[in-house]
Amino acid sequence: MTEGNNIPEGDAQARGEAPPDTPVEEEKKENGDRKVTIPDQAAAPGGTGDEADFVHPEGGWGWLVMLAAMWCNGSVFGIQNAFGILFLSLLREFGSETDEDLRFRTAWVGSLSMGMIFFCSPIVSVFTDILGCRVTAVGGAAVGLIGLLASSFVKSLGPMYFTYGIVFACGCSFAYQPSLVILGHYFKKRLGLVNGIVTAGSSIFTITLPFMLSGLLEKVGLQNTMRVLCIFMFVLMLAGFTYKPLMPVRPSSTRTGGLCPPLSQIFNINIWRSLGYRIWAFGIPAALYGYFVPYVHLMKHVEERFGADANKEVLLMCIGITSGVGRLIFGRVADYVQGVNKVYLQVASFFVIGLMSMMIPLCNIFGGLIAVCLLMGLFDGCFICIMAPIAFELVGSKDVSQAIGFLLGLMSVPMTVGPPIAGFLRDRLGNYNVAFYLAGIPPIIGGAVLCLIPWVEARRKRREKESRSKPDSKPVYRNPTESSRSKHQ
């Protein structure tokens, strides 16, 4: 997702030529040959003039980097998605299950952890630009390892908010985002295939981890189970060492004379000039207030409805399997949907997820709950896989990295507060029925808001067409995507 800004655009740049009216400099190579270098203003963001000569290896060491990134995606989100299993043990470990406030306070651990991963995304982008992918990823994995190890020694719920909800989650965030950036150093033609394989890691881990965690919790207890999970973070730290950068990087002090990049490179205000993006950036977080609720509370709901011996782990397995399938299917379908109409796929996914959340309390047989989870996972994969294509359509390739980063940051709030509210309702009402009914409402409302985007974008195009036909008319904001397309036509 975030590697798009590292690839220069335009036929002239692809051949290593300077654009018109751009001064060029010649520098002597060590072998005596001369080489044309494009100044910083002509280079792609985050690179130098040497980047125009860069050729992606499309394999080799890149396959090992792909496997490392796949492990990162799987271990980070696999552990997060399996928090429902740990949630039951936390309830038994830190208090009585009859405590009416216990579920509310315990749910904050998982929701805070998931929220911090997204909340840190804009900050991680800055550190990745300054320190590089390898240092950021290894350092993040080390911090995550420390946070998870410290959580295994905690004896009360309060410190768990800090060790697991903040330290562990921040480490995961810093380890995760570089795994997306580094792929752009090794792949270009095969980048879609590689991203599909990498994101499948979370589905694979979501399928297998619940069974492993259930066995570990039963045999060795909560503390030792967390220490076993530390092995995943240690492997993740080793995987970060494979992130050998290939693309040339422009020093961040080139223009400012300081150690930090200019503020305009950190906070890109261009993305907020697009009304379509502003609607998208509001509609997605609005839809996610109920998104993480099933991951946290579904296990406890199944235990209450069908008994403690119910095979509840199979539900997370169903969500994981169909989520992986959905990413492959809808990712391919999105290629045939033109422009911002891809938003309608996301609208459909939110409608289905909202309806399935409302269906959970109505399932009186376990088989019905399995069917609900299969559909929920399928459209969860749809929502995830078309995030980047929609961002590209709304803001263009130059700003797509910042657009996704800020959106992930905005998503942190609803994903953090949703599960505790559901736990609070359970404690007050005695069951999860109302909590799941209410969890289905935000996705439907958010999906309805997203329906405005194609209409807004169509109106903007009409205004641009009218402004081009009237030279004296007031200029309007032009979508960078449209500018890029017209330039290549």
Side-chain angles (χ1 to χ4, degrees):
M1 290 187 301
T2 58
E3 66 274 5
N5 284 355
N6 292 328
I7 303 173
E9 296 184 357
D11 296 334
Q13 286 177 305
R15 294 192 301 268
E17 301 173 2
D21 302 327
T22 301
V24 298
E25 301 173 359
E26 290 187 349
E27 65 178 32
K28 200 92 172 226
K29 289 186 178 179
E30 293 181 358
N31 60 4
D33 296 334
R34 304 187 73 84
K35 174 183 177 181
V36 176
T37 301
I38 304 173
D40 285 342
Q41 63 266 26
T48 66
D50 294 340
E51 189 176 337
D53 299 328
F54 179 76
V55 178
H56 296 78
E58 301 293 344
W61 183 261
W63 295 121
L64 183 60
V65 174
M66 181 198 71
L67 293 177
M70 183 179 179
W71 178 272
C72 175
N73 198 290
S75 58
V76 168
F77 290 104
I79 294 174
Q80 294 293 332
N81 292 341
F83 180 76
I85 304 296
L86 298 178
F87 177 71
L88 299 177
S89 295
L90 289 172
L91 290 176
R92 302 185 184 101
E93 185 73 18
F94 296 129
S96 171
E97 294 189 42
T98 60
D99 185 351
E100 63 179 14
D101 294 326
L102 182 61
R103 291 176 183 84
F104 176 76
R105 292 183 283 112
T106 304
W108 269 106
V109 176
S111 59
L112 181 63
S113 178
M114 178 64 81
M116 287 301 297
I117 291 180
F118 292 97
F119 179 77
C120 292
S121 294
I123 303 173
V124 176
S125 298
V126 178
F127 276 84
T128 302
D129 290 339
I130 297 175
L131 302 178
C133 294
R134 179 185 289 176
V135 174
T136 304
V138 173
V143 171
L145 173 62
I146 293 172
L148 193 57
L149 184 61
S151 299
S152 67
F153 293 98
V154 169
K155 299 298 182 182
S156 62
L157 193 60
M160 187 73 73
Y161 295 139
F162 177 73
T163 58
Y164 190 95
I166 296 179
V167 178
F168 170 64
C170 288
C172 288
S173 182
F174 275 76
Y176 167 67
Q177 194 156 325
S179 70
L180 302 177
V181 177
I182 194 63
L183 295 176
H185 288 241
Y186 289 87
F187 300 95
K188 184 177 181 181
K189 295 179 181 179
R190 297 175 175 174
L191 191 56
L193 170 65
V194 169
N195 272 317
I197 297 173
V198 167
T199 55
S202 62
S203 297
I204 295 173
F205 276 63
T206 300
I207 295 168
T208 57
L209 267 183
F211 295 98
M212 188 192 79
L213 291 179
S214 296
L216 287 172
L217 289 169
E218 182 179 350
K219 294 179 181 178
V220 301
L222 178 63
Q223 283 76 20
N224 288 326
T225 297
M226 288 188 172
R227 290 163 193 160
V228 171
L229 290 177
C230 289
I231 299 175
F232 286 74
M233 301 307 296
F234 179 73
V235 174
L236 179 56
M237 187 170 62
L238 297 179
F241 284 104
T242 67
Y243 296 169
K244 179 182 178 182
L246 298 183
M247 285 185 172
V249 179
R250 181 178 60 211
S252 60
S253 59
T254 300
R255 298 186 182 183
T256 62
L259 296 177
C260 298
L263 190 62
S264 60
Q265 292 184 11
I266 299 176
F267 301 104
N268 188 345
I269 64 173
N270 288 333
I271 59 177
W272 301 105
R273 296 176 180 173
S274 169
L275 178 58
Y277 176 78
R278 295 200 299 269
I279 296 174
W280 194 55
F282 168 79
I284 296 293
L288 294 181
Y289 277 95
Y291 175 83
F292 197 41
V293 170
Y295 284 101
V296 174
H297 294 288
L298 183 59
M299 299 296 99
K300 185 61 180 176
H301 170 74
V302 171
E303 211 175 68
E304 294 177 352
R305 177 67 62 89
F306 300 100
D309 296 332
N311 191 13
K312 49 189 174 293
E313 293 83 5
V314 74
L315 298 178
L316 288 180
M317 182 186 70
C318 291
I319 293 176
I321 291 175
T322 53
S323 179
V325 173
R327 297 177 195 193
L328 297 175
I329 293 176
F330 288 102
R332 185 61 175 168
V333 170
D335 292 336
Y336 296 99
V337 180
Q338 298 296 321
V340 293
N341 288 332
K342 295 180 178 66
V343 169
Y344 288 127
L345 290 175
Q346 219 162 40
V347 171
S349 68
F350 281 138
F351 281 170
V352 173
I353 290 173
L355 290 175
M356 292 303 103
S357 295
M358 294 179 175
M359 289 290 294
I360 290 175
L362 301 178
C363 294
N364 295 319
I365 59 173
F366 195 76
L369 206 54
I370 290 178
V372 166
C373 290
L374 288 173
L375 277 173
M376 185 177 293
L378 185 68
F379 284 90
D380 168 77
C382 173
F383 158 66
I384 292 174
C385 74
I386 59 176
M387 290 277 287
I390 293 176
F392 174 83
E393 295 290 345
L394 292 175
V395 301
S397 60
K398 181 179 179 181
D399 301 324
V400 70
S401 175
Q402 291 262 358
I404 294 175
F406 278 107
L407 179 65
L408 293 178
L410 294 172
M411 287 166 52
S412 64
V413 176
M415 296 189 73
T416 300
V417 303
I421 292 175
F424 174 81
L425 292 173
R426 162 61 183 82
D427 293 336
R428 290 293 182 268
L429 301 176
N431 58 60
Y432 281 106
N433 291 352
V434 174
F436 282 116
Y437 288 142
L438 294 179
I441 295 177
I444 295 176
I445 294 177
V449 171
L450 296 183
C451 290
L452 296 173
I453 296 177
W455 175 77
V456 167
E457 288 295 295
R459 188 183 66 170
R460 177 189 57 78
K461 291 179 181 178
R462 287 196 302 267
R463 291 175 60 190
E464 289 180 356
K465 185 177 180 180
E466 293 174 358
S467 66
R468 286 194 295 267
S469 62
K470 299 177 182 178
D472 296 333
S473 61
K474 183 178 179 181
V476 296
Y477 171 71
R478 182 177 178 85
N479 192 323
T481 306
E482 299 298 325
S483 301
S484 176
R485 287 174 180 169
S486 61
K487 181 170 62 177
H488 288 294
Q489 288 177 350

